[in-house]
Amino acid sequence: MIAVIKKGTSDKQIENLASWLKAQGLDVHLSKGSTHTIVGLVGDTSKIDEELLESLEIVESVKRISEPFKSANRKFHPDDSVIEVGNTSVGGDIFAFIAGPCSVESEEQVMEIAKAVKAAGATMLRGGAFKPRTSPYDFQGLKADGIELLLKAKKETGLPIVTEIMNANHLPLFEDVDVIQVGARNMQNFELLKELGKTKKAILLKRGLANTLKELLMSAEYIMAGGNENVILCERGIRTFETYTRNTLDLSAIPLIHELSHLPIIVDPSHATGASRLVKPMALAAAAGGADGLMIEVHNDPQHALCDGAQSLTPDAFADVCSSVKKVLEVI
Amino acid sequence: MIAVIKKGTSDKQIENLASWLKAQGLDVHLSKGSTHTIVGLVGDTSKIDEELLESLEIVESVKRISEPFKSANRKFHPDDSVIEVGNTSVGGDIFAFIAGPCSVESEEQVMEIAKAVKAAGATMLRGGAFKPRTSPYDFQGLKADGIELLLKAKKETGLPIVTEIMNANHLPLFEDVDVIQVGARNMQNFELLKELGKTKKAILLKRGLANTLKELLMSAEYIMAGGNENVILCERGIRTFETYTRNTLDLSAIPLIHELSHLPIIVDPSHATGASRLVKPMALAAAAGGADGLMIEVHNDPQHALCDGAQSLTPDAFADVCSSVKKVLEVI
Amino acid sequence: MIAVIKKGTSDKQIENLASWLKAQGLDVHLSKGSTHTIVGLVGDTSKIDEELLESLEIVESVKRISEPFKSANRKFHPDDSVIEVGNTSVGGDIFAFIAGPCSVESEEQVMEIAKAVKAAGATMLRGGAFKPRTSPYDFQGLKADGIELLLKAKKETGLPIVTEIMNANHLPLFEDVDVIQVGARNMQNFELLKELGKTKKAILLKRGLANTLKELLMSAEYIMAGGNENVILCERGIRTFETYTRNTLDLSAIPLIHELSHLPIIVDPSHATGASRLVKPMALAAAAGGADGLMIEVHNDPQHALCDGAQSLTPDAFADVCSSVKKVLEVI
Amino acid sequence: MIAVIKKGTSDKQIENLASWLKAQGLDVHLSKGSTHTIVGLVGDTSKIDEELLESLEIVESVKRISEPFKSANRKFHPDDSVIEVGNTSVGGDIFAFIAGPCSVESEEQVMEIAKAVKAAGATMLRGGAFKPRTSPYDFQGLKADGIELLLKAKKETGLPIVTEIMNANHLPLFEDVDVIQVGARNMQNFELLKELGKTKKAILLKRGLANTLKELLMSAEYIMAGGNENVILCERGIRTFETYTRNTLDLSAIPLIHELSHLPIIVDPSHATGASRLVKPMALAAAAGGADGLMIEVHNDPQHALCDGAQSLTPDAFADVCSSVKKVLEVI
């Protein structure tokens, strides 16, 4: 970490700063140039509060040289992490196909979709039991009952299940859930992340709507710092000014995360685009770009069928995506 | 609410849609034009899931005419809400000056600042006890001890206190806190909002980094739908591509919120800009633009003093802001 | 186009509006609902100024049903456009590999790179002669001399050339240029677009840093409305809050543009990411997502070689990208 | 300027880099730390291409300490610039009220509005003759005739006039125009900026939709580097995800520009918000925040009057804004 000191700062002020930094266990190197003095900090700078340092009146600017994340950092863990999930895994050689309905609605629905996505090539079943909704008047999910239905589908099909948590107090309900999802709106719900860090569950951490990749890795760090290294990252689109898509899918996140971290990263093209007709091309692009898996919404419920289709893919369309993605995976 | 139906949709499909909508308690008006059919929905459309409707294959697009928020909506509550807070209030004729340190660090610190900001014109004391930090390795606040210190300062100065909550399980600690703050990163932590809706506490709800004003009002709606109407909104900057400021303060939020809602809105220029030298001009701008109050960081702690200043204002600079803001308030 | 009229508007005001709209050659359909009146407009609404209409005090909101672009619209031109460029083309079955240096610097440099990229699989040579630079003190390109050097390389290798124009007055210099590029910063330089519309040259139109896909298509429309239908669109990243990449590459632009328009769309992963190590994965992703071609920076100049590499790819790395992309193209 | 060199770079590579930088006239200071080597550059670093330097494979990152703008930089020109415009000026003690119609439509219209805004307190008349429109099918302005009408209004009222240029070839038409406006979409039309730098006209340079303040100042630098120091900056909103307003007005631009530059900055609340009811609060906020003036749309034309109002203010509403702003200016 480097701090550039403002012109005209007195030696005494610089010494004060250096003493304070040394007291925090860092080696401090002063480099006085003709125009500016630069303070180089060596040691565990992840404990230094960058914003506080930058806010000091004598500091012109601060630049981190080493990244502030440690457990998630590829530098200290060069091999790809492979997260075990039931009879399968995420990361390494296995490509994850996670599919299922947006919301669990009934036993019939979830059972039918589970079988259909398994036949189509899914390696895991996803489904929402607790649903984060912008409006308090929108359907909030079947909650505990929804998890029960997912577990029945798991028993029937053998597919590990992925479902979202919104409250650490609900953790007992997730005992038999294979992957616990943290949604975009909770990516910086640090209290929830800390509680998940105390478990050994695989955690699927979605990038927030306006969060940088560094912040995504820092949120993974919250979980890992608690002792749980089973983190799967998920790119699901960020918020921009473009209005034709719900969000802007940032696929450059894939090679960047692979460079910065050893954690696997999957892509959710359904939520990112908000349009079923864009799911296949973005799924292929994600696979070609090096993603470790995909999470795709697949439906089969009467409410949607009533009007002949919807945002989610049908099981047949999902099967087509799986086989096309596999062809791409073979050649890269 | 209006749904525009795609060209080439059969009458039977439209009837199916109309039946489904009627079953949800709405009046449905069909208007067949030469190119498109339009479905007009009258009734309590706040219960309609706009995204689901838009995702149907026969629907080209959906447009809300009435807003999806009810309790927060000025249409149903034309008068400004005035939120009582201890011996003062927010909204209506009183302009709130909320000031204090970013983090509560020691009894000496909080007591000294509390007295200083009171003398300078503050109507409430703010201070962080639970601190949401991007990094798990950064200081997370004094927690319960921090709240104790704030309560001591309240007793000493009479100033009502504002402090942030990050976990609904901590609510018992907030019993004597006057205003509970929900931070930007928790604006869509719906589980937390629901719990706060069950209390009668004044809630200071900060806008999320990438959240629209509609989403801010929907989050207020979560609290109000639970029975707690004491919500104060806070504009604190949104995330954009500009890098000279930490965030981009969106002051047009003030007249827009006043138009859409009866809830008061205050502005936090300290967090929005991240630079003490920008706090005064943005505080004056917020006051001139019609804000109901300001929340400003003021420090007096040795760690900052060590280096002769910091991002927060000194008590003297805060006193200058207060008197300048009051002059502006007198003329508008 | 639909205009929703505000509650409480008098019949006379609505009649005035209807008369004004009819006077502009449109059929006007009034639909009075229990809460709102809706005005439906049928005819050539591309002539209607949406912003003006929306700004009228009696209008609550306006919604376009048909797109405001005509010449670029796939509805009126269902087949993919194939743009002829010298001995090759862009769009349809041919995948374009456009490669070359950021700036043309010397005859030796451009000749060497041209031969290298041709050998590696390039179908066109790109190179900057007029360089738009944020700073007036940065290198602005070799200008006319740069174009001369590109033409020499074209003669030597047979590769058609692509180079950027910044001023319509320079058009005579571009007489033998095969594809004229309009850079992101000039995407809404409407005066330049109009002049290019009077030529028959192939135009490579890059998306602006903060422009929507609708605006990109409207800028294509400016060129096409003048009579030049040879437009190739280019996605090159948009500006967001993410800082690890220079811009955020929006690959969902590919299937969206293909849906909305018959024009081909290529992708520039070099400028979008600003990092050579991200070029290959993003090139593969673009190809898998359905792009009609790629534009990639390739260098071989001493200034870069001096320091062992740079943002651009080496010819060898570019050859590797070409062969990998071709494998992906075979399977999709 | 500081360049941080990557770990593992050989001494020879660093020497090569140092030689190359010295050859560009800079003093180079190497500082080898235990983990990283830092290259400090002293001299006229505005000539160094930051992007090129950052793209070198051995360079981890680059940090500018001094700003890349010189003529616009307050460091080299501590006093506020005052731009003379006809019988008035912008910057310093005079607050500019620039008002007029979006488009010049007829002699009657422009004359009537000119007299009305003068009576209300305007110090300059604005009006669009050349109109940049997203669609080629929208009204493009009266062009040369529009400028003629503005000049008539100037003669009649004595108000200096402000109008937009879109093409340097039109400069002869602007001979008697007092202030030439460069619109947001042309902020980085560098060819146009260079031509304006050769004149002595006052230039009103609007911030682009997705441009940083540094880029705005670099565009001012283009004009000033040509010898024309008469630049007035204008904040008019940037593009974000918020949809209630057309753009997000970034008022923190005011104190930041005043800190970084000696050039005056005015604010355009009409275009920023796109809603007449937001103009007054944002005008007051801009004045309180330290703006040097305002540019406000005022109309009086039958097309708008037909429907009882529009986005622009009426002359009466503008008079109210002027008197309220003056009250705010008196107290700050």
Side-chain angles (χ1 to χ4, degrees):
Chain A
M1 186 178 271
I2 292 167
V4 180
I5 304 300
K6 283 188 188 156
K7 266 188 199 181
T9 303
S10 72
D11 284 356
K12 191 160 175 304
Q13 287 173 310
I14 296 176
E15 268 165 47
N16 280 343
L17 176 65
S19 309
W20 177 60
L21 290 164
K22 279 176 192 160
Q24 299 186 44
L26 295 167
D27 285 345
V28 178
H29 299 266
L30 292 185
S31 158
K32 300 200 181 183
S34 57
T35 54
H36 286 83
T37 295
I38 292 165
V39 179
L41 301 176
V42 179
D44 183 4
T45 57
S46 66
K47 280 172 187 155
I48 287 286
D49 189 336
E50 191 175 343
E51 280 192 11
L52 172 60
L53 190 57
E54 196 147 25
S55 74
L56 301 178
E57 208 148 278
I58 65 169
V59 174
E60 172 121 5
S61 62
V62 173
K63 189 160 193 73
R64 270 194 189 278
I65 295 173
S66 52
E67 297 298 340
F69 41 94
K70 293 190 293 188
S71 306
N73 201 322
R74 187 176 283 275
K75 280 183 194 155
F76 312 126
H77 186 311
D79 294 332
D80 287 349
S81 278
V82 177
I83 313 298
E84 303 295 330
V85 178
N87 53 3
T88 182
S89 58
V90 181
D93 295 335
I94 295 187
F95 190 90
F97 288 100
I98 307 172
C102 182
S103 295
V104 173
E105 289 169 31
S106 69
E107 179 164 350
E108 194 188 357
Q109 173 231 29
V110 72
M111 223 46 115
E112 200 176 317
I113 299 182
K115 289 175 193 165
V117 297
K118 188 183 182 187
T123 58
M124 288 188 231
L125 175 68
R126 55 145 291 168
F130 291 93
K131 300 294 302 171
R133 305 304 308 268
T134 306
S135 167
Y137 311 118
D138 285 348
F139 175 56
Q140 311 269 323
L142 289 185
K143 302 179 181 171
D145 293 344
I147 293 185
E148 280 311 306
L149 296 179
L150 286 168
L151 291 173
K152 278 191 187 174
K154 173 185 174 179
K155 204 170 169 188
E156 177 79 14
T157 60
L159 291 176
I161 59 173
V162 183
T163 195
E164 180 166 351
I165 196 166
M166 292 173 61
N167 187 330
N169 295 343
H170 298 158
L171 262 173
L173 298 170
F174 287 73
E175 207 172 323
D176 296 322
V177 168
D178 300 279
V179 180
I180 301 180
Q181 177 178 319
V182 177
R185 286 167 184 77
N186 278 317
M187 192 202 92
Q188 292 194 317
N189 181 341
F190 302 121
E191 291 285 314
L192 177 60
L193 300 179
K194 281 182 197 168
E195 291 303 315
L196 296 174
K198 295 177 189 163
T199 74
K200 289 293 171 199
K201 287 284 179 194
I203 309 297
L204 180 67
L205 180 65
K206 290 193 145 190
R207 183 181 184 181
L209 281 167
N211 287 109
T212 62
L213 294 175
K214 192 199 265 184
E215 288 169 340
L216 175 61
L217 288 169
M218 291 312 296
S219 285
E221 194 77 20
Y222 258 98
I223 300 169
M224 298 172 90
N228 182 359
E229 306 234 321
N230 301 308
V231 180
I232 303 161
L233 304 173
C234 180
E235 162 63 30
R236 44 82 71 222
I238 57 174
R239 200 160 257 191
T240 71
F241 54 82
E242 176 58 57
T243 53
Y244 274 134
T245 41
R246 191 187 298 159
N247 297 116
T248 296
L249 186 62
D250 177 11
L251 290 179
S252 51
I254 304 169
L256 269 166
I257 289 292
H258 281 161
E259 178 182 316
L260 296 164
S261 177
H262 52 89
L263 297 174
I265 177 165
I266 67 167
V267 170
D268 177 346
S270 302
H271 279 82
T273 61
S276 62
R277 63 193 195 284
L278 303 178
V279 169
K280 186 180 173 184
M282 288 304 97
L284 292 173
D292 295 299
L294 290 164
M295 179 137 99
I296 291 177
E297 268 189 40
V298 178
H299 79 82
N300 195 27
D301 62 295
Q303 191 162 312
H304 289 77
L306 173 77
C307 308
D308 290 327
Q311 168 195 311
S312 311
L313 295 188
T314 60
D316 282 354
F318 174 66
D320 174 46
V321 170
C322 287
S323 69
S324 297
V325 164
K326 282 173 187 165
K327 282 184 208 153
V328 168
L329 293 173
E330 271 163 33
V331 299
I332 63 165
Chain B
M1 187 180 270
I2 292 167
V4 181
I5 303 301
K6 282 188 186 156
K7 267 188 198 182
T9 302
S10 71
D11 284 356
K12 190 159 177 306
Q13 286 173 311
I14 296 176
E15 270 165 45
N16 280 342
L17 177 65
S19 308
W20 176 60
L21 291 165
K22 279 176 192 160
Q24 299 187 44
L26 295 167
D27 285 345
V28 177
H29 299 266
L30 293 185
S31 157
K32 298 197 183 187
S34 57
T35 55
H36 287 81
T37 295
I38 293 165
V39 179
L41 301 176
V42 178
D44 183 5
T45 58
S46 67
K47 280 172 187 156
I48 286 287
D49 189 335
E50 190 174 344
E51 280 192 10
L52 172 61
L53 189 58
E54 195 146 24
S55 74
L56 301 178
E57 208 149 278
I58 65 168
V59 174
E60 172 120 4
S61 62
V62 174
K63 188 158 194 76
R64 270 195 188 278
I65 294 173
S66 51
E67 297 299 340
F69 41 93
K70 293 190 293 188
S71 306
N73 202 323
R74 188 176 280 277
K75 281 183 195 157
F76 312 126
H77 185 311
D79 295 332
D80 287 350
S81 278
V82 177
I83 314 297
E84 304 296 329
V85 178
N87 53 5
T88 181
S89 58
V90 181
D93 295 335
I94 295 187
F95 190 89
F97 288 99
I98 308 173
C102 181
S103 296
V104 173
E105 288 169 31
S106 69
E107 178 163 350
E108 195 188 357
Q109 173 231 28
V110 73
M111 223 46 115
E112 201 174 318
I113 299 181
K115 289 174 193 163
V117 298
K118 187 181 183 186
T123 58
M124 288 188 233
L125 174 68
R126 57 146 289 164
F130 291 93
K131 299 294 303 171
R133 304 306 306 268
T134 305
S135 167
Y137 311 118
D138 285 349
F139 176 57
Q140 311 269 324
L142 290 184
K143 300 175 184 175
D145 293 345
I147 293 184
E148 279 311 306
L149 297 179
L150 286 168
L151 292 173
K152 278 192 186 173
K154 173 184 173 178
K155 202 170 169 188
E156 178 79 16
T157 59
L159 291 176
I161 59 172
V162 183
T163 194
E164 179 166 353
I165 196 167
M166 291 174 60
N167 186 331
N169 295 344
H170 298 157
L171 263 173
L173 297 171
F174 288 71
E175 208 172 322
D176 297 323
V177 168
D178 300 278
V179 180
I180 302 180
Q181 177 178 320
V182 176
R185 286 165 186 79
N186 278 317
M187 193 203 91
Q188 293 194 317
N189 181 341
F190 302 120
E191 291 285 313
L192 178 59
L193 300 179
K194 281 182 198 170
E195 291 304 315
L196 297 173
K198 295 176 190 165
T199 74
K200 289 292 171 200
K201 287 284 178 194
I203 309 297
L204 180 66
L205 180 66
K206 289 193 147 192
R207 183 182 185 181
L209 280 168
N211 287 109
T212 62
L213 294 174
K214 192 200 265 185
E215 288 169 340
L216 175 61
L217 288 169
M218 291 311 296
S219 285
E221 194 77 20
Y222 258 99
I223 300 168
M224 299 172 89
N228 182 358
E229 306 234 320
N230 301 308
V231 180
I232 303 161
L233 304 173
C234 180
E235 162 64 30
R236 45 81 70 219
I238 56 173
R239 201 160 256 193
T240 71
F241 54 83
E242 176 59 55
T243 53
Y244 274 133
T245 41
R246 190 187 299 159
N247 296 116
T248 296
L249 187 62
D250 177 11
L251 290 179
S252 49
I254 304 169
L256 269 166
I257 288 293
H258 281 161
E259 177 182 315
L260 296 164
S261 177
H262 52 89
L263 297 174
I265 177 164
I266 68 167
V267 170
D268 177 347
S270 303
H271 279 82
T273 62
S276 61
R277 64 196 192 280
L278 303 178
V279 168
K280 185 180 174 184
M282 289 304 97
L284 292 173
D292 295 298
L294 290 164
M295 178 136 101
I296 290 176
E297 267 189 42
V298 178
H299 78 82
N300 196 27
D301 61 297
Q303 190 162 316
H304 289 78
L306 174 75
C307 307
D308 290 326
Q311 166 195 312
S312 312
L313 296 188
T314 60
D316 282 353
F318 174 66
D320 174 45
V321 170
C322 288
S323 69
S324 298
V325 164
K326 283 173 186 164
K327 283 184 207 153
V328 168
L329 293 173
E330 271 164 33
V331 299
I332 62 165
Chain C
M1 187 180 269
I2 293 167
V4 181
I5 304 300
K6 283 189 187 155
K7 268 189 198 181
T9 302
S10 72
D11 284 356
K12 188 155 177 306
Q13 286 173 311
I14 296 175
E15 268 166 47
N16 281 342
L17 177 65
S19 310
W20 176 61
L21 290 165
K22 278 176 193 162
Q24 299 188 43
L26 295 167
D27 285 346
V28 178
H29 299 265
L30 293 185
S31 159
K32 299 198 182 187
S34 56
T35 54
H36 287 81
T37 296
I38 292 165
V39 179
L41 301 175
V42 179
D44 183 5
T45 58
S46 66
K47 281 173 188 155
I48 287 286
D49 190 335
E50 189 174 344
E51 280 192 9
L52 172 60
L53 190 57
E54 195 145 25
S55 74
L56 301 178
E57 208 148 278
I58 63 168
V59 174
E60 172 120 4
S61 63
V62 174
K63 189 158 193 73
R64 270 197 188 276
I65 295 173
S66 51
E67 297 298 340
F69 41 94
K70 292 190 294 188
S71 306
N73 201 324
R74 188 177 281 278
K75 280 182 194 156
F76 312 126
H77 187 311
D79 294 331
D80 287 349
S81 278
V82 177
I83 313 298
E84 304 295 331
V85 178
N87 53 5
T88 182
S89 58
V90 181
D93 294 335
I94 294 187
F95 190 89
F97 288 99
I98 307 173
C102 181
S103 296
V104 173
E105 288 168 33
S106 70
E107 178 164 350
E108 195 189 356
Q109 173 231 27
V110 73
M111 223 48 114
E112 202 175 317
I113 299 181
K115 289 174 194 166
V117 298
K118 188 184 182 185
T123 58
M124 288 188 232
L125 175 67
R126 56 145 290 166
F130 291 94
K131 300 292 303 170
R133 304 305 308 270
T134 304
S135 167
Y137 310 118
D138 286 348
F139 176 56
Q140 310 269 323
L142 290 184
K143 301 178 184 171
D145 293 344
I147 293 185
E148 279 311 306
L149 297 179
L150 286 168
L151 292 174
K152 278 193 187 172
K154 174 185 173 180
K155 204 171 169 188
E156 179 79 16
T157 59
L159 292 175
I161 59 172
V162 184
T163 195
E164 179 165 353
I165 197 167
M166 290 173 64
N167 187 331
N169 295 343
H170 299 156
L171 262 174
L173 298 170
F174 287 72
E175 207 172 322
D176 297 322
V177 168
D178 300 278
V179 181
I180 302 180
Q181 176 177 320
V182 176
R185 286 166 184 77
N186 278 317
M187 192 201 92
Q188 293 194 316
N189 181 342
F190 302 120
E191 291 286 312
L192 178 59
L193 300 179
K194 281 181 197 168
E195 290 304 315
L196 296 174
K198 295 176 189 163
T199 74
K200 290 291 171 199
K201 288 282 180 195
I203 309 298
L204 180 68
L205 180 65
K206 289 193 146 190
R207 181 181 185 181
L209 281 167
N211 287 110
T212 62
L213 294 174
K214 192 200 264 182
E215 287 169 342
L216 175 61
L217 288 169
M218 291 312 296
S219 285
E221 194 77 19
Y222 257 98
I223 300 169
M224 299 173 90
N228 183 358
E229 306 234 321
N230 301 307
V231 180
I232 303 162
L233 304 173
C234 181
E235 163 64 28
R236 45 79 72 222
I238 57 174
R239 199 160 258 190
T240 71
F241 55 82
E242 176 58 56
T243 54
Y244 274 133
T245 42
R246 192 186 299 159
N247 296 116
T248 295
L249 186 63
D250 177 11
L251 290 180
S252 49
I254 305 169
L256 269 166
I257 289 292
H258 281 161
E259 177 181 314
L260 295 164
S261 177
H262 52 90
L263 297 174
I265 177 164
I266 68 168
V267 170
D268 177 346
S270 302
H271 279 82
T273 63
S276 62
R277 64 196 194 280
L278 302 179
V279 169
K280 185 180 174 183
M282 289 304 96
L284 292 172
D292 295 298
L294 289 164
M295 179 136 101
I296 290 177
E297 268 190 40
V298 177
H299 79 84
N300 196 25
D301 62 296
Q303 192 162 315
H304 289 77
L306 176 76
C307 305
D308 291 325
Q311 166 195 315
S312 311
L313 295 188
T314 60
D316 283 353
F318 173 66
D320 174 44
V321 170
C322 288
S323 70
S324 297
V325 163
K326 282 173 187 166
K327 282 184 207 153
V328 167
L329 292 173
E330 270 163 35
V331 300
I332 63 165
Chain D
M1 187 180 270
I2 292 167
V4 181
I5 304 300
K6 283 188 187 157
K7 267 189 196 180
T9 303
S10 72
D11 283 356
K12 191 158 177 306
Q13 286 174 310
I14 296 176
E15 269 165 46
N16 280 342
L17 176 65
S19 308
W20 175 61
L21 290 165
K22 279 174 192 161
Q24 299 188 42
L26 295 168
D27 285 346
V28 178
H29 299 266
L30 292 185
S31 159
K32 299 198 183 186
S34 56
T35 54
H36 287 80
T37 295
I38 293 164
V39 178
L41 302 176
V42 178
D44 183 5
T45 58
S46 67
K47 280 171 187 156
I48 287 286
D49 189 336
E50 190 174 345
E51 280 192 9
L52 173 61
L53 190 57
E54 196 146 24
S55 74
L56 300 179
E57 207 149 280
I58 65 170
V59 174
E60 172 122 4
S61 63
V62 173
K63 188 160 194 74
R64 269 196 191 276
I65 295 174
S66 52
E67 297 299 339
F69 41 94
K70 291 189 295 187
S71 307
N73 201 323
R74 188 176 281 278
K75 280 181 194 158
F76 312 126
H77 187 310
D79 294 331
D80 287 349
S81 278
V82 177
I83 314 297
E84 303 296 329
V85 178
N87 53 5
T88 181
S89 57
V90 181
D93 294 334
I94 294 188
F95 190 89
F97 289 99
I98 308 172
C102 181
S103 297
V104 174
E105 288 168 32
S106 70
E107 180 164 347
E108 194 189 357
Q109 173 230 29
V110 73
M111 222 49 111
E112 201 175 317
I113 299 181
K115 289 176 195 163
V117 297
K118 187 182 181 185
T123 58
M124 289 188 232
L125 175 68
R126 55 146 290 165
F130 291 93
K131 300 293 303 170
R133 305 305 308 268
T134 305
S135 167
Y137 311 119
D138 285 349
F139 175 57
Q140 310 270 323
L142 290 184
K143 301 178 184 171
D145 293 344
I147 293 184
E148 280 310 306
L149 296 179
L150 286 167
L151 292 174
K152 278 193 188 172
K154 174 185 173 178
K155 204 171 168 188
E156 178 79 17
T157 60
L159 292 176
I161 58 171
V162 184
T163 195
E164 180 165 353
I165 196 166
M166 290 173 64
N167 188 331
N169 295 343
H170 299 157
L171 263 173
L173 297 170
F174 287 73
E175 208 173 322
D176 297 324
V177 168
D178 301 278
V179 180
I180 301 180
Q181 177 178 320
V182 176
R185 287 166 184 77
N186 279 318
M187 192 202 92
Q188 292 194 316
N189 182 341
F190 302 120
E191 291 285 312
L192 177 60
L193 300 179
K194 281 181 198 169
E195 291 304 315
L196 296 174
K198 294 176 190 163
T199 75
K200 290 292 171 199
K201 287 284 179 193
I203 309 297
L204 180 67
L205 180 65
K206 289 193 147 190
R207 181 181 185 182
L209 281 168
N211 288 109
T212 61
L213 294 175
K214 192 200 267 183
E215 287 169 340
L216 175 61
L217 288 169
M218 291 311 294
S219 285
E221 194 78 19
Y222 258 98
I223 299 168
M224 298 172 90
N228 182 358
E229 307 234 320
N230 302 308
V231 180
I232 303 161
L233 304 172
C234 180
E235 162 64 28
R236 43 80 72 221
I238 57 174
R239 201 161 254 193
T240 71
F241 54 82
E242 176 60 55
T243 54
Y244 274 133
T245 42
R246 192 188 296 159
N247 296 116
T248 296
L249 187 62
D250 177 12
L251 290 179
S252 50
I254 304 168
L256 269 165
I257 288 292
H258 281 161
E259 176 181 315
L260 295 164
S261 177
H262 51 90
L263 297 174
I265 178 165
I266 67 167
V267 169
D268 176 347
S270 302
H271 279 82
T273 62
S276 62
R277 63 193 195 281
L278 303 178
V279 168
K280 185 180 174 183
M282 289 304 97
L284 292 172
D292 295 297
L294 290 164
M295 179 138 101
I296 290 176
E297 268 189 40
V298 177
H299 79 83
N300 197 28
D301 62 295
Q303 191 162 315
H304 289 77
L306 175 75
C307 305
D308 290 328
Q311 166 195 317
S312 311
L313 296 187
T314 60
D316 282 354
F318 173 66
D320 173 46
V321 170
C322 287
S323 70
S324 297
V325 163
K326 282 174 187 165
K327 282 184 207 152
V328 167
L329 292 172
E330 271 165 34
V331 299
I332 62 165

